[in-house]
Amino acid sequence: MKKLFPFILLLLILSIGCQSKQHDTIKIGIAGPMTGDQAKMGMDFKNGATLAVDEWNQKGGILGKKIELIVGDDQHDPKQAVSIANKMINDGVVGVIGHFNSSCSIPASDVYNRNMIPMITPGSTNPQLTDKGYKNVFRVCGRDDQQGKVGAIFVTEQLKLKNVAILHDKTTYGQGLADEFKKHIGNKAQVVYYGGIVQGDKDFKMVLTAIKSKKPDIVFFGGIYPEAGLLVKQSRELGLNVPFISGDGTIDPKFIEIAGASAAEGTYLTFSPDPKNIPSAKDFIKNYQSKFGEIGPYSIYAYDATNILLTAINSASSTDGSAISDKLHSMEFDVALGKIKFDSKGDVTVSPYVVWITKNGKFEEFWKP
Amino acid sequence: MLLQQLINGITLGSVYALIALGYSMVYGILELINFAHGEIYMLGAYFGIIFFGFLTVLGVTNYSIFLSLILTFLLSIMFCSAYGFTIEKIAYKPLRNSTRLSPLISAIGVSIFLQNYVMLTQGATDKVFPNLFGARGFYFLSIRMTYIQLFIIIVSILIMIFLRLFIRRTKIGKAMRAVAQDKTMASLVGINIDTIISITFIIGSALAAVAGLMVAMYYGLVNYFIGYIAGIKAFTAAVLGGIGSIRGAMVGGLLLGLVESLGGSYISGEYKDAYAFVILIIILLVKPGGLFRKAELEKV
């Protein structure tokens, strides 16, 4: 017992340290895949949110307190997302920015809803997330039904292609997007192949060989960039040289790196307009670049989501989740992406999806519906 | 389409076979399932990326791609062999006379350690191996084959032939077979068991390094987790062919690649990984010793 005494003392001291710290700051959470193969997206989230929090703290914080950012790593694993959500609530966050993957955001939103913690996702596009009717759930990005529709219109009306092969990665996001795309293709084109691949797999040649034998004019993929890059690379290796189109999960320079610049050339994807063309985003771009370097596709969404949350907390003058959610529903926010207002579900009222193309090893805005 | 799938399957299968050989050789001699073997394969891929990057910085790649590839292979093999040798000395040798379960658990520990070590030192994100040959390839009887696929198949076949000759014809090979049959007897006739075991680990690791590097070149994408699933698949291949048997590992690997490829295209690509294990269960039920039943006689 005597030997244990110093340790017990140490534990006591440490626990006192935790207690006293808890009331000094207002905590908000940022959750996403901070490690794993999608860690780049998580980093963009974190950097965007950090920039917003730093700017607020420089102006003196919020409700007379400094803001503290709690980072949660869900490793794009739904199980981990739920435990991270619980952990952040135990840490005493008043609101959460996240998660990235729809498959993580949806189960995590249940946890946040039970505790009435407002959650704004910068990147989860699956319709289910806001269709649940939770008062505390918002997103600053668009929805896959809007995105799939734009992709389908582009393929059938702009490119006027007749035979479409559709692949997805069996995740909530990927399959959801692929299904929306398929729905909007309707009978305007023939779906010659529809199937799934396994996220994290490296060899898709068997699926692609099967697709090649169906002679499609274009391949659509609902999924994230590591698989998208490999799919493009391996289809070119098999001599399947048809156009490739995917969703917003693909917009990452790693996609081009994995596929190889020549194979990725001319591939399409649907995403929101380039922030470089938005006048109100100028300051954000300058500040972000000077602090973190290259802007990631979701950096601006994380930045805006954080600003929106903090503005709502500020005008609610309370950290009560229900009051903040009310403010989020009723206010109009003037942020880097422009003016944002949420509808009764928590979706943004306008979400302009456009088609991007890969040109000379870079993503470029290409076509507006 | 069938021929194309066969080529895809054989490419994949050759890689499985190379890894499976390492499992089988070690099992033949120590009756130990070396679960850290998959991580050696992963390390091989990482060393490939590191050394190739290093040679690019030195400018060797500008001088000659083939010279730098050969150097990359040699360096990667050397480092992986060193890892294999060290792992055996640290994690398995001290446990050689304990129960059979202890080295197995030690192997799992090494595997977890190496995965996390690579994750911490190299980062958790995917690493990209430069795409050297692009999508270049040729058509043969309406099958599209890339140069890299051809390279993988040829290298694998050559390695397997050499390995077989090495074990059949050389003195060390003979000693390995002797140790596999009876360690006590082998040591009585003057074979240094420790040396033979070390050599087995070095050869196994070298094969895994080649497999890892070829996969890094083939897919172009490497992360710290690739050793896990590849290790399990190769283990399946080794059991399929009859663990401990060299011929079995080769056939098992190829068979597994073909099953995956054909099942993935004609049944459903979504359950690609499941076919391997379904085959494993069937084989274990019907022929528990694996396809090559003479495993006892033909160990190593």
Side-chain angles (χ1 to χ4, degrees):
Chain A
M1 193 62 212
K2 242 181 183 171
K3 274 184 187 165
L4 275 178
F5 186 69
F7 291 103
I8 295 168
L9 205 67
L10 191 72
L11 256 164
L12 277 173
I13 294 168
L14 285 175
S15 62
I16 291 165
C18 296
Q19 280 300 319
S20 65
K21 217 181 152 199
Q22 218 158 45
H23 299 286
D24 271 338
T25 55
I26 285 189
K27 288 176 183 162
I28 61 169
I30 173 85
M34 302 295 163
T35 59
D37 51 5
Q38 294 168 17
K40 169 76 172 48
M41 296 292 190
M43 274 325 201
D44 291 345
F45 268 32
K46 195 176 132 195
N47 291 345
T50 308
L51 184 66
V53 166
D54 286 353
E55 283 171 7
W56 277 78
N57 276 339
Q58 264 165 28
K59 285 185 278 179
I62 192 168
L63 309 181
K65 289 175 189 168
K66 290 278 180 210
I67 305 151
E68 190 186 340
L69 201 59
I70 308 279
V71 182
D73 176 13
D74 65 22
Q75 299 163 1
H76 68 82
D77 176 358
K79 295 190 289 292
Q80 187 70 16
V82 170
S83 67
I84 283 294
N86 281 311
K87 187 188 163 287
M88 291 210 284
I89 286 163
N90 287 337
D91 286 346
V93 296
V94 300
V96 173
I97 309 300
H99 300 217
F100 173 61
N101 307 76
S102 296
S103 49
C104 293
S105 294
I106 293 170
S109 70
D110 294 340
V111 179
Y112 299 127
N113 183 256
R114 271 201 296 280
N115 297 279
M116 229 344 130
I117 300 289
M119 136 178 190
I120 309 178
T121 170
S124 295
T125 46
N126 190 283
Q128 275 179 45
L129 178 63
T130 47
D131 283 353
K132 282 184 167 182
Y134 287 159
K135 181 189 167 190
N136 64 321
V137 177
F138 303 86
R139 64 174 132 216
V140 287
C141 53
R143 291 161 58 102
D144 286 337
D145 35 9
Q146 301 161 330
Q147 180 173 197
K149 191 178 170 191
V150 170
I153 292 174
F154 178 70
V155 168
T156 52
E157 288 173 21
Q158 176 70 19
L159 300 177
K160 297 194 171 58
L161 297 175
K162 286 288 162 224
N163 297 307
V164 187
I166 301 176
L167 268 178
H168 60 78
D169 64 0
K170 296 202 285 186
T171 62
T172 316
Y173 161 72
Q175 189 162 8
L177 178 59
D179 287 342
E180 291 296 341
F181 178 79
K182 192 176 168 214
K183 196 171 93 194
H184 288 286
I185 286 281
N187 50 14
K188 282 178 275 184
Q190 185 82 25
V191 176
V192 292
Y193 184 95
Y194 180 87
I197 56 158
V198 182
Q199 198 174 32
D201 206 350
K202 302 275 179 282
D203 195 318
F204 305 118
K205 287 226 162 132
M206 42 217 75
V207 171
L208 289 167
T209 306
I211 289 179
K212 195 185 168 195
S213 70
K214 298 277 197 306
K215 299 197 170 50
D217 300 321
I218 189 162
V219 177
F220 178 89
F221 174 61
I224 314 285
Y225 60 87
E227 287 79 30
L230 287 172
L231 278 170
V232 170
K233 180 174 183 236
Q234 291 174 13
S235 48
R236 300 302 179 252
E237 282 173 1
L238 280 171
L240 177 66
N241 291 316
V242 297
F244 179 90
I245 180 164
S246 53
D248 53 346
T250 313
I251 184 143
D252 188 286
K254 267 259 156 71
F255 163 70
I256 301 171
E257 202 183 331
I258 293 166
S262 64
E265 191 73 11
T267 53
Y268 306 107
L269 62 91
T270 48
F271 190 56
S272 330
D274 194 346
K276 289 189 182 84
N277 304 335
I278 303 172
S280 52
K282 276 226 167 63
D283 283 343
F284 161 76
I285 291 175
K286 202 181 76 204
N287 295 338
Y288 189 95
Q289 279 174 340
S290 70
K291 206 163 179 176
F292 305 109
E294 187 68 28
I295 292 182
Y298 283 98
S299 308
I300 191 165
Y301 291 89
Y303 175 79
D304 275 359
T306 315
N307 273 327
I308 288 171
L309 178 67
L310 292 172
T311 313
I313 295 173
N314 202 21
S315 59
S317 5
S318 134
T319 54
D320 175 52
S322 188
I324 301 169
S325 302
D326 283 337
K327 284 284 170 199
L328 284 168
H329 275 294
S330 62
M331 286 172 70
E332 188 180 53
F333 301 91
D334 201 356
V335 285
L337 284 165
K339 287 199 175 10
I340 283 185
K341 196 167 171 12
F342 295 108
D343 64 13
S344 57
K345 278 180 175 175
D347 291 321
V348 285
T349 41
V350 274
S351 75
Y353 272 105
V354 298
V355 174
W356 291 52
I357 191 169
T358 310
K359 219 173 189 177
N360 304 323
K362 280 208 162 64
F363 299 112
E364 251 177 48
E365 230 180 285
F366 180 66
W367 181 81
K368 268 195 177 90
Chain B
M1 180 158 132
L2 177 67
L3 284 172
Q4 180 74 60
Q5 293 292 11
L6 288 180
I7 291 294
N8 296 343
I10 290 170
T11 319
L12 199 62
S14 333
V15 174
Y16 289 153
L18 281 185
I19 315 173
L21 282 170
Y23 274 106
S24 241
M25 283 167 64
V26 168
Y27 187 86
I29 286 191
L30 287 180
E31 303 208 336
L32 156 75
I33 296 161
N34 180 12
F35 274 112
H37 193 60
E39 311 319 325
I40 298 282
Y41 152 88
M42 178 264 294
L43 282 171
Y46 266 95
F47 281 131
I49 289 184
I50 293 168
F51 290 126
F52 195 81
F54 188 59
L55 291 171
T56 313
V57 173
L58 285 181
V60 185
T61 40
N62 287 335
Y63 176 66
S64 159
I65 284 280
F66 287 99
L67 177 69
S68 41
L69 272 182
I70 289 167
L71 280 174
T72 310
F73 267 96
L74 288 178
L75 284 166
S76 184
I77 288 170
M78 264 167 58
F79 274 73
C80 281
S81 302
Y83 264 85
F85 175 82
T86 318
I87 289 168
E88 194 269 328
K89 287 279 181 261
I90 293 175
Y92 306 144
K93 198 181 165 199
L95 298 169
R96 203 173 288 159
N97 295 319
S98 60
T99 58
R100 273 188 72 182
L101 221 51
S102 316
L104 189 75
I105 292 165
S106 181
I108 295 172
V110 171
S111 160
I112 294 171
F113 168 77
L114 286 177
Q115 265 181 34
N116 286 282
Y117 170 67
V118 172
M119 185 186 82
L120 287 174
T121 50
Q122 292 293 317
T125 51
D126 288 335
K127 291 268 178 289
V128 178
F129 193 88
N131 197 346
L132 300 175
F133 305 104
R136 263 178 283 166
F138 54 92
Y139 283 88
F140 172 74
L141 295 173
S142 86
I143 323 167
R144 168 88 183 170
M145 204 166 168
T146 52
Y147 291 128
I148 189 106
Q149 276 181 312
L150 190 69
F151 174 75
I152 290 179
I153 294 172
I154 290 176
V155 169
S156 305
I157 291 172
L158 283 180
I159 286 181
M160 287 181 211
I161 292 172
F162 274 120
L163 188 69
R164 198 168 167 77
L165 286 178
F166 178 77
I167 286 170
R168 290 274 144 212
R169 299 281 160 81
T170 63
K171 226 172 177 179
I172 299 175
K174 211 180 213 174
M176 283 167 81
R177 280 182 290 151
V179 173
Q181 275 178 10
D182 192 330
K183 276 204 261 306
T184 327
M185 203 56 213
S187 68
L188 283 178
V189 295
I191 294 169
N192 187 342
I193 307 227
D194 285 342
T195 318
I196 294 301
I197 290 173
S198 290
I199 289 173
T200 310
F201 270 87
I202 287 172
I203 295 174
S205 304
L207 296 180
V210 172
L213 188 46
M214 289 199 302
V215 160
M217 287 166 67
Y218 184 42
Y219 298 136
L221 199 61
V222 171
N223 58 44
Y224 68 96
F225 209 61
I226 57 167
Y228 175 72
I229 193 80
I232 287 191
K233 291 257 183 77
F235 174 63
T236 309
V239 174
L240 203 66
I243 192 153
S245 150
I246 296 289
R247 204 154 37 126
M250 295 178 194
V251 175
L254 284 173
L255 204 65
L256 199 67
L258 287 174
V259 165
E260 250 184 45
S261 173
L262 295 177
S265 61
Y266 289 105
I267 307 174
S268 158
E270 298 178 35
Y271 297 101
K272 200 186 81 175
D273 286 344
Y275 305 129
F277 303 116
V278 170
I279 294 285
L280 177 69
I281 293 168
I282 293 172
I283 289 285
L284 285 179
L285 286 175
V286 180
K287 249 189 149 187
L291 288 176
F292 290 82
R293 249 193 142 174
K294 281 187 276 177
E296 267 85 13
L297 294 177
E298 225 215 319
K299 277 196 295 192
V300 161

